[in-house]
Amino acid sequence: MDKFVIHGGRKLNGSVKISGSKNGSLPVLFSTLLSDGPVHLSNIPTELRDIRLSLEILQSLGAEYQIHPDGSVMLEVTDSASTTADYEQVSKMRASICCLGPLLARRGEARVSLPGGCSIGDRPVELHTRGMEALGAEVRIESGYVVAKAPRLRGNTVYLSGPMGPTVLGTQNVMMAAAGAEGVTVIEGAACEPEVQATAGFLRAIGIVVEGDGTPVIRIEGHGRLGGDSCLAGCDYEIPPDRIETGTYLLAGAIAGGEVVVEGCRPSENSALLDLLERIGVPVEVGESTLTVRGVESVTPVDIAMLPYPAFPTDLQGPLMALMCLGRGVSLITDKVFPDRFNHLSELRRFGARIRKEGPSAIIEGGAPLSGATVMASDLRASACLVLAGLVAEGRTEVTRIYHLERGYERMEQKLGQLGADVEKMDEKIDEREMA
Ligand code: EPU
């Protein structure tokens, strides 16, 4: 198991290139099950664990793939017999529930393990299954699996918002199923996240008419039953840059810059973060595909809630909390998407941060000096939060279990190292021997 060892206090300067979007890639990868032709996907963050795992799942479902040296991936389905995604794989990554829609559309049935527990809180999938039922699938839960059958899917109007708002993966799952339905599907209460637009763009590239993505009402003209002679073409498709990685490096620059240029990003997808940074006194220069941020000693406290796009993203709640430790007063951060996503909170206290949790909120009394500590990463974005705190904490920080981080950030130690941070990836066991 690897860990990061960080010596805090170094100023970050220079530029960092943003990778392709993890959450933009995952449903697109599963959408390739719909197509019979070869698919070439560029700008895929192939070093991420979640991408590798998705490719393994696709292989188990009859797809062959090749990863090219330029980081692009070639995929082709050569065997459409299997309809099962098993617990071993799905339990490692919730996004694999996204095989449900394409398997139903292309193979008429699907047996996909229910994802199970998750360290960021309860993550049910009833909106996904309700959407499949609305398209005419018979769905039941059997021995921990979602078992769905639909000799024919028929377009329908589906409402996909739940108690916590729209569902991002649920919207994409139903879009993929609708691609193989007869007639038109209208998704109301759809998620508006840019990742949904990435899936819509891919579906258009393989010949499906999709309109309204990026708004709460999405219209999909189904191709009708897929298979045999009725198939969807292959395509070339480029994955957009990762807006959460973009936001994480912007926050790292705010905490520990110097001057950091975030390159190859889409600034408009981070409007809520840019607005917040301006309000709390962090200078950011916005270019066409670059964002330049300057570090600050302290920031104005905030009262902010994480909500569905275009509001402030829950995936940046942890990294933002690291910055708000530099607040000149008390900040309130509320997560309305995942109200229990606060694993990083007690670890931040180990740096000396003064934080407490009240319901879905964290109350941060800023200004306490942070000092390096050994902290444990427990999920992807909590890990990023702890690394950011380590950059500004005085002395040595160890962030253990960074395999969580590697699910969603490519070569973070190298990217931060190029900016001048002192971050080293180490094997936990080797270091223990050194310390003895
Ligand atoms: N929800 C339901 N019922 C459902 C589905 C969701 O009540 O059937 C609830 C969830 O419990 C949550 C809210 O709705 O409270 C939103 O969940 P959503 O379904 O939108 O989340 P997701 O699609 O499973 C994706 C991202 C997450 C990101 C969320 C919210 C991927 C692979 N995952 O998850 O990303 O936090 O949207 O934006 O796209 C991450 O990258 O670290 C990550 C967790």
Side-chain angles (χ1 to χ4, degrees), residues 5-49:
V5 176
I6 305 169
H7 289 97
R10 295 272 197 98
K11 286 274 179 241
L12 306 187
N13 278 295
S15 57
V16 57
K17 171 92 176 65
I18 295 307
S19 297
S21 162
K22 167 183 85 83
N23 291 347
S25 300
L26 297 173
V28 166
L29 280 169
F30 292 115
S31 298
T32 62
L33 291 169
L34 293 167
S35 156
D36 284 280
V39 170
H40 179 245
L41 299 174
S42 53
N43 204 30
I44 285 257
T46 47
E47 292 170 51
L48 298 182
R49 277 171 185 266

Side-chain angles (χ1 to χ4, degrees), residues 188-203:
E188 294 179 348
C192 300
E193 271 69 3
E195 293 75 23
V196 174
Q197 291 177 274
T199 298
F202 177 81
L203 292 177

Side-chain angles (χ1 to χ4, degrees), residues 22-23 26 94-95 120 122-128 163-170 193 314-315 337-338 341 380-381:
K22 167 183 85 83
N23 291 347
L26 297 173
R94 292 187 53 87
I120 66 173
D122 189 25
R123 295 179 76 183
V125 293
E126 92 286 356
L127 293 168
H128 299 233
M164 315 305 285
T167 164
V168 178
L169 288 175
E193 271 69 3
T314 171
D315 292 343
V337 179
F338 290 115
R341 192 179 204 176
L380 167 56
R381 309 300 173 186

Side-chain angles (χ1 to χ4, degrees), residues 154-225:
R154 290 198 172 78
N156 200 351
T157 297
V158 187
Y159 180 73
L160 276 190
S161 267
M164 315 305 285
T167 164
V168 178
L169 288 175
T171 300
Q172 294 167 94
N173 220 349
V174 174
M175 284 163 71
M176 293 185 262
E182 288 162 14
V184 171
T185 294
V186 176
I187 303 177
E188 294 179 348
C192 300
E193 271 69 3
E195 293 75 23
V196 174
Q197 291 177 274
T199 298
F202 177 81
L203 292 177
R204 281 190 284 268
I206 58 172
I208 302 292
V209 176
V210 184
E211 292 162 350
D213 47 294
T215 79
V217 182
I218 302 178
R219 183 179 175 278
I220 302 121
E221 283 179 26
H223 178 275
R225 199 188 150 81

Side-chain angles (χ1 to χ4, degrees), residues 53-137:
L53 183 61
S54 302
L55 290 169
E56 280 168 30
I57 295 174
L58 288 167
Q59 196 171 39
S60 77
L61 291 169
E64 287 181 3
Y65 71 87
Q66 269 182 310
I67 299 176
H68 295 165
D70 65 357
S72 64
V73 177
M74 198 77 198
L75 277 141
E76 186 163 9
V77 177
T78 52
D79 178 359
S80 292
S82 171
T83 53
T84 298
D86 69 23
Y87 177 74
E88 221 6 73
Q89 293 168 317
V90 177
S91 60
K92 289 186 194 146
M93 188 188 65
R94 292 187 53 87
S96 37
I97 188 71
C98 276
C99 329
L100 187 62
L103 284 177
L104 260 182
R106 176 64 182 80
R107 304 183 187 180
E109 58 181 85
R111 196 169 165 271
V112 181
S113 172
L114 268 174
C118 173
S119 59
I120 66 173
D122 189 25
R123 295 179 76 183
V125 293
E126 92 286 356
L127 293 168
H128 299 233
T129 53
R130 203 193 293 165
M132 303 304 158
E133 282 171 339
L135 300 187

